[in-house]
Amino acid sequence: MLENKNSRTELSALGEFGLIHELSKHVTIKNQSTLKGIGDDCAVLDHGGKKLLLTTDMLLEGIHFDLAYVPLKHLGYKAIAVNVSDICAMNGTPAQVLVALGISNRFSLEAVEELYSGMLLACEKYGVDLAGGDTSASRSGLTIAVTAIGTGEEGKIVYRSGACETDLICVTGDLGGAYMGLQLLEREKSVFLDNPKVQPDLDGNDYILERQLKPEARTDMITLFRERGILPTSMIDISDGLASELLHLCHASGKGCQVYEEKFPLDHLTSERAKEFGLDPTLCALSGGEDYELLFTLPLKQFDFIKNDPNITVIGHVTSQESGCNMVTRGGSLAEITAQGWDAFLRK
């Protein structure tokens, strides 16, 4: 039972992960079929020998998206993709999604159909069925809640907790692009609000805009792992920034890490725009979030399987817990990694 406390603890003092930690302390697993509960990208259930992966995610208007610049079709696509990404983070195969909508009467049927067209496009892309859901009236903006269901093979489900010392730390794709896409959209919104006659200046920024508005789950990497016989020791998707995800893996595995700033994969457009905004590209990679790339650890003996792959970058290695979580800067100094990524509870 949750205790009644006379004192009041503000959620802003806890942050999202602190809140999850506090709530999970009161959760007891009672069914043998629940193999993994709170604390990973998916819950893992065993039903008749089949391993089911379950994950759910909410997108709330004004917190996770702004309809001033997010097209409904893109929003629908993203809502599915970010949940499929969690299935990928467990080395699983997505199969179905359930969609619940809280929606006000300011939206027309045509607008809702536009939202769903994006969802259906993503379902087709990832080979999943939109198998059901719920709708409700809302007085506080649009809410989208998606539950994704997938499967995992016996012995091949990858958790956050399996990293071993000397394992390589790898990431797919590049980092920081989604954050810079958001900065660009927010800037153009501000310009428009100041002067509605000014047209948005978005030319030449398609890549970072797509990274923000229409991210892709890395199902292609899961296919590649299976084709090459790669089995990561731990894995997580990068939704809250590289720094936060590194700390999650290290905490779950009881290990430390050492990563190298010069190894972080950054697209040239991301770096250019970051500098234009007066931002450090490395900080965008560490704390930006919403890239939905995969961060994983791999035994040294599997290095040959990835060494020539342009979609995978080795950024460091796993160390002992006592060594802490550190980044070697371009200048050669050691900097402690701290989580500064997205956390809605820390924002007013």
Side-chain angles (χ1 to χ4, degrees), residues 16 27 61 65 148 153 166 189 217 229 231 249 269 279 309:
E16 178 184 357
V27 176
E61 184 177 358
F65 61 88
E153 294 183 39
T166 75
K189 176 187 174 182
L231 184 62
L249 285 190
L269 183 60
L279 299 171
D309 195 308

Side-chain angles (χ1 to χ4, degrees), residues 211-274:
R211 294 288 280 173
Q212 169 57 218
L213 296 174
K214 188 176 171 287
E216 297 288 357
R218 296 310 303 256
T219 53
D220 59 325
M221 289 289 101
I222 303 306
T223 300
L224 181 143
F225 290 168
R226 291 169 186 167
E227 291 174 348
R228 298 185 184 177
I230 296 171
L231 184 62
T233 51
S234 67
M235 186 155 58
I236 191 172
D237 73 332
I238 302 176
S239 57
D240 299 308
L242 177 62
S244 290
E245 315 306 2
L246 280 168
L247 294 177
H248 282 318
L249 285 190
C250 290
H251 175 75
S253 298
K255 298 293 185 289
C257 68
Q258 184 161 302
V259 295
Y260 297 83
E261 181 182 14
E262 65 180 12
K263 299 293 186 182
F264 292 175
L266 292 161
D267 182 79
H268 72 280
L269 183 60
T270 299
S271 296
E272 288 177 6
R273 293 298 173 268

Side-chain angles (χ1 to χ4, degrees), residues 35 50 81 93-94 125 132 176-177 227 232 302 305 344:
L35 301 182
K50 294 183 178 179
T93 301
K125 168 70 181 288
E227 291 174 348
Q302 294 198 10
F305 294 151

Side-chain angles (χ1 to χ4, degrees), residues 170-332:
C170 311
V171 293
T172 64
D174 57 79
L175 305 176
Y179 180 72
M180 286 316 306
L182 178 62
Q183 299 311 300
L184 184 62
L185 289 166
E186 288 285 354
R187 183 190 70 184
E188 294 308 307
K189 176 187 174 182
S190 296
V191 171
F192 175 79
L193 291 176
D194 288 340
N195 186 354
K197 294 181 179 180
V198 176
Q199 293 299 308
D201 181 15
L202 302 173
D203 289 345
N205 294 287
D206 290 356
Y207 180 69
I208 59 174
L209 291 172
E210 185 164 308
R211 294 288 280 173
Q212 169 57 218
L213 296 174
K214 188 176 171 287
E216 297 288 357
R218 296 310 303 256
T219 53
D220 59 325
M221 289 289 101
I222 303 306
T223 300
L224 181 143
F225 290 168
R226 291 169 186 167
E227 291 174 348
R228 298 185 184 177
I230 296 171
L231 184 62
T233 51
S234 67
M235 186 155 58
I236 191 172
D237 73 332
I238 302 176
S239 57
D240 299 308
L242 177 62
S244 290
E245 315 306 2
L246 280 168
L247 294 177
H248 282 318
L249 285 190
C250 290
H251 175 75
S253 298
K255 298 293 185 289
C257 68
Q258 184 161 302
V259 295
Y260 297 83
E261 181 182 14
E262 65 180 12
K263 299 293 186 182
F264 292 175
L266 292 161
D267 182 79
H268 72 280
L269 183 60
T270 299
S271 296
E272 288 177 6
R273 293 298 173 268
K275 292 171 184 176
E276 287 179 13
F277 276 78
L279 299 171
D280 181 353
T282 295
L283 188 60
C284 295
L286 283 170
S287 303
E290 291 201 289
D291 290 307
Y292 297 102
E293 296 293 346
L294 296 174
L295 169 68
F296 62 97
T297 57
L298 202 64
L300 277 168
K301 63 183 180 181
Q302 294 198 10
F303 174 66
D304 286 346
F305 294 151
I306 64 165
K307 65 180 181 180
N308 296 319
D309 195 308
N311 292 305
I312 298 174
T313 305
V314 178
I315 62 170
H317 60 275
V318 179
T319 63
S320 67
Q321 187 174 35
E322 293 72 26
S323 299
C325 298
N326 301 291
M327 178 184 73
V328 178
T329 69
R330 287 189 175 88

Side-chain angles (χ1 to χ4, degrees), residues 35-57:
L35 301 182
K36 181 67 177 180
I38 298 171
D40 225 297
D41 288 271
C42 293
V44 182
L45 311 183
D46 186 340
H47 283 279
K50 294 183 178 179
K51 303 301 185 290
L52 297 182
L53 307 176
L54 301 178
T55 184
T56 190
D57 209 2

Side-chain angles (χ1 to χ4, degrees), residues 34-96:
T34 306
L35 301 182
K36 181 67 177 180
I38 298 171
D40 225 297
D41 288 271
C42 293
V44 182
L45 311 183
D46 186 340
H47 283 279
K50 294 183 178 179
K51 303 301 185 290
L52 297 182
L53 307 176
L54 301 178
T55 184
T56 190
D57 209 2
M58 280 196 299
L59 297 175
L60 285 79
E61 184 177 358
I63 300 293
H64 301 102
F65 61 88
D66 187 336
L67 291 178
Y69 51 72
V70 177
L72 286 169
K73 187 172 184 177
H74 286 69
L75 179 60
Y77 190 99
K78 183 174 184 176
I80 302 300
V82 301
N83 280 272
V84 169
S85 183
D86 279 337
I87 302 290
C88 293
M90 306 292 290
N91 200 36
T93 301
Q96 294 91 17

Side-chain angles (χ1 to χ4, degrees), residues 1-3 5 14 18-28 38:
M1 294 291 291
L2 297 177
E3 298 178 2
K5 298 179 180 179
L14 291 173
L19 174 62
I20 293 171
H21 174 72
E22 289 297 319
L23 295 178
S24 64
K25 290 192 302 187
H26 305 284
V27 176
T28 302
I38 298 171

